[in-house]
Structures are given as C-alpha cells and as structure tokens.
Amino acid sequence: MIKQQEYFGFGSISNLRKILDAEKMRKVFVLSGKNSFNLCGAKQKLEKIFLDCKCNYNTFSDFSPN
C-alpha cells in the first residue's frame, strides 16, 4: 500500500522541493484545471521546482467539470 500525504494551504508550494527530495521522487503526475494551472502561475513555479529536482512530470487536465 502506498502511503498518501496531503499538503495544502497558502504557501504550501514552497515546501515541494523539500518533499520531493525527502521522498526521493523522480516522477510526478499533476492534475489541474484546463486554464487555472497556467493563469495562477502554478505551472511556472512547478516547472522550475521539477527542473531543479531533476523530476519528470506529466499533467492532465482533459476531464469534464462537475
């Protein structure tokens, strides 16, 4: 069984580099809204962190809204 941990809240993205290193993550799957990921600046922030950590990532946003 895979242990799941959730991180959320204002400024939580600043902990991502530390989390990726601690968990020795090299592949990440990102679920996002179709436009919000780009518009809020998360894409640029995450791409820099993933690049710095030498972490491959894939995004998925092709789903219907509820």
Side-chain angles (χ1 to χ4, degrees):
M1 175 182 261
I2 297 173
K3 181 182 119 184
Q4 181 175 326
Q5 183 70 33
E6 296 175 14
Y7 301 89
F8 56 91
F10 184 77
S12 60
I13 197 168
S14 63
N15 296 320
L16 184 57
R17 181 175 288 129
K18 185 172 30 175
I19 295 165
L20 292 172
D21 288 340
E23 298 294 330
K24 297 179 179 28
M25 302 301 267
R26 294 298 166 235
K27 294 182 181 179
V28 176
F29 183 65
V30 178
L31 292 172
S32 71
K34 292 183 191 242
N35 296 314
S36 60
F37 187 57
N38 291 326
L39 294 175
C40 73
K43 180 179 180 183
Q44 294 79 10
K45 289 179 182 179
L46 290 176
E47 284 179 339
K48 179 171 179 9
I49 293 169
F50 293 149
L51 181 63
D52 290 347
C53 292
K54 298 181 176 111
C55 187
N56 294 318
Y57 75 98
N58 289 307
T59 59
F60 180 81
S61 62
D62 190 21
F63 49 88
S64 299
N66 14 342

